[in-house]
Amino acid sequence: MDAQYERRLLLSMNGQNSLSSYTSPIQSPIKASDRYIPLRSSLSASNLHYQLSTSPISSSPRKSHCSSTTTSPSKKSKLEPNEIGLSAGITGSEPDLAVYEQLLQNTLLDTNIDSVLKISDVQNTNSDGVKTVTTPKKSSTSKENYSIFRYSERRENISCKSNSITKEHFNRSPISNASIHLLYSPKKTIRRIPDIPYKVLDAPDLQDDFYLNLIDWSPSNILSVALGPCVYLHNAQTNSVQLLCDLTHTPLPLPNNNQVNIIGSDLVTSVHWSDWSNIIAVGTQRGHVHIYDITTRKRVQSICKHTSRVGVLAWNEWSLCSGSRDRTILEHDIRQQPTVHTFHGHKQEVCGLKWSPEKSILASGGNDNQLLLWSKTQSSQPLHVFNDHIAAVKAIAWSPHQQGLLASGGGAADRHIRFRSSLTCQTISAYDTGSQVCQLIWSRNSPDELVSTHGVTQNHIALWKYPTMQPLAKLLGHQQRVLYLAMSPDGESIVTGAGDETLRFWNVFPKAKSIRNPDSQLNGLYRMR
């Protein structure tokens, strides 16, 4: 065997060429050494604390070390789920992200939160153990790097875990018992409020007048709409429309005899359904009030007591109150001709009238920026006068859930919704909406929700949560002031009318909770003994 061949073979096995110097095949050509890094006590696993950023989307993006190229908004939205610790292609809502964050804290920090309801308590508690109300902050314009993990020393007051053996030592699941309870804890369902109307109707000749009330929804699911001199009835279930009356040529009886006097054209300025739903009152520009029976499509009675237009009406069983531009409020009993009461208190046009749910107190608002409370038994002077509005008070709504709670809204110069108590005759709170308040209505199915319609400058519908006045929804669609508002008999939908001559139907309120009747014949379990 060639001696050089054996040498070349040994060199090739050691990774050397034949031109380099000869090295022993036993010696390794690659040198490696292990460096021992001692574990510092301050950075031990038991002393590591971290804090996830609560709003990673609102924070500024991190600086890239590779390039400074800008991304489009569509690409940025796709990258946002990755910035909050989720894998690519996975998105989550805010409640799911809160549960995910709490699971990490349970695993790494042993927080032992076992319920979804307790997450908010942990997030709203500061380092001193005092609960604070957090408000959303605007994103900063400066580009700063937000560290996800923060290191700090473990507090001394946290008690150490006991060394006793528990059931957790025999648990095969890597998830703690608290995290398992957290995953199985019931989540609060979030009600989705549609931001578009489910029906839109054209309403030609719908007047753009702040002081009028031209739509109302009856308990029998019939919507009345006043368009110029006519009143139309829209069946919300069958979508059929019928003409109730046309005041182009209005025949009225003379006060002295039974002769009929034909007068000129008149305009409808207010409509309002009675509680028994087959009687409707119609106020006109000439100061007349006509009462119609929709079953026979005939006019039952006409009241000609006002000297100017009747802009608002309010029923109280058989009594009907009418507010006029002549600054008076008249109460009529349709079973008899004479006027029952006359309320003198406003200095300008009366544009708001609402009876309390128990029908004992009448609230009236006028163009004189006053809100007056009247007693049913005493009409000589009001019970109380509120003078804190600085614009016309048209929007008035009594709460059907809390006794004596009254909400009132001011016009363009005021923009406030104020809550009163008729029991103490005091103002409870006030909230600035930022725009003209045209109408208010409380939800029948939810005790802490109400809707307001607005004019200049936003022309929108707002859904509020009382008493925090947290905005739940903001509905857009009308091009002019949303002056008219009515609620469906089931309490789930509302209809709004505006100067843009459209009617829009919205689903805003929750459904009514079903109440079981214990006296029902079908309830056999109730009768078992």
Side-chain angles (χ1 to χ4, degrees), residues 56-64 71 76 79 83 139-146:
I57 298 178
S58 61
S59 60
S60 60
R62 299 168 183 169
K63 297 180 180 180
S64 175
T71 59
K76 182 180 179 180
L79 296 178
E83 296 179 0
S139 58
S140 177
T141 56
S142 61
K143 297 182 178 180
E144 299 178 358
N145 294 330
Y146 291 89

Side-chain angles (χ1 to χ4, degrees), residues 183-464:
L183 292 175
Y184 283 98
S185 62
K187 298 181 181 179
K188 184 178 181 180
T189 58
I190 301 176
R191 177 166 55 94
R192 302 297 180 184
I193 302 174
D195 56 354
I196 58 175
Y198 65 88
K199 185 194 302 184
V200 179
L201 299 178
D202 291 330
D205 296 332
L206 185 64
Q207 300 184 56
D208 186 13
D209 196 325
F210 176 79
Y211 302 98
L212 306 184
N213 296 270
L214 300 180
I215 65 173
D216 195 22
W217 210 328
S218 74
S220 58
N221 206 13
I222 297 177
L223 179 68
S224 60
V225 184
L227 303 178
C230 304
V231 176
Y232 293 90
L233 302 180
H234 172 264
N235 193 320
Q237 186 174 2
T238 61
N239 290 328
S240 61
V241 180
Q242 295 180 354
L243 176 64
L244 175 65
C245 64
D246 188 355
L247 303 183
T248 304
H249 299 286
T250 307
L252 292 177
L254 294 176
N256 297 330
N257 49 36
N258 295 327
Q259 296 180 359
V260 177
N261 182 22
I262 303 298
I263 63 175
S265 177
D266 202 353
L267 294 178
V268 180
T269 54
S270 59
V271 292
H272 191 58
W273 290 94
S274 63
D275 296 334
W276 49 91
S277 77
N278 61 333
I279 300 295
I280 184 173
V282 177
T284 68
Q285 183 76 21
R286 294 180 178 268
H288 304 153
V289 178
H290 307 300
I291 300 175
Y292 291 86
D293 187 354
I294 65 170
T295 57
T296 60
R297 307 283 173 170
K298 293 182 179 180
R299 187 173 60 195
V300 178
Q301 189 177 352
S302 295
I303 304 171
C304 306
K305 300 292 183 178
H306 290 286
T307 59
S308 186
R309 69 179 184 182
V310 179
V312 61
L313 299 166
W315 283 95
N316 187 353
E317 297 181 353
W318 293 100
S319 299
L320 174 65
C321 288
S322 56
S324 173
R325 183 182 275 182
D326 60 9
R327 301 171 295 177
T328 61
I329 302 172
L330 300 182
E331 183 180 2
H332 317 276
D333 193 334
I334 63 174
R335 296 170 295 183
Q336 55 186 2
Q337 289 294 334
T339 303
V340 179
H341 293 111
T342 302
F343 302 90
H344 296 279
H346 288 282
K347 301 177 182 178
Q348 294 189 32
E349 180 177 5
V350 181
C351 53
L353 278 181
K354 286 294 172 60
W355 281 99
S356 60
E358 65 276 4
K359 304 298 183 181
S360 61
I361 299 178
L362 176 65
S364 63
N367 197 28
D368 53 359
N369 309 340
Q370 291 184 349
L371 176 67
L372 277 61
L373 300 182
W374 305 87
S375 175
K376 182 180 180 181
T377 58
Q378 182 182 1
S379 60
S380 59
Q381 59 182 1
L383 294 176
H384 191 77
V385 179
F386 294 97
N387 295 315
D388 46 2
H389 282 293
I390 58 175
V393 183
K394 176 190 177 183
I396 301 174
W398 290 89
S399 173
H401 306 281
Q402 186 174 344
Q403 184 180 6
L405 180 59
L406 174 65
S408 62
D414 186 82
R415 305 185 306 272
H416 281 75
I417 298 177
R418 304 181 189 274
F419 298 93
R420 334 276 187 172
S421 174
S422 63
L423 304 179
T424 60
C425 294
Q426 294 181 354
T427 301
I428 302 174
S429 60
Y431 182 79
D432 187 3
T433 63
S435 58
Q436 179 186 34
V437 182
C438 301
Q439 290 285 3
L440 284 171
I441 195 168
W442 289 86
S443 171
R444 294 196 192 104
N445 306 330
S446 179
D448 55 355
E449 293 184 8
L450 73 157
V451 161
S452 62
T453 63
H454 300 270
V456 291
T457 57
Q458 301 182 26
N459 304 328
H460 68 285
I461 302 107
L463 177 62
W464 308 95

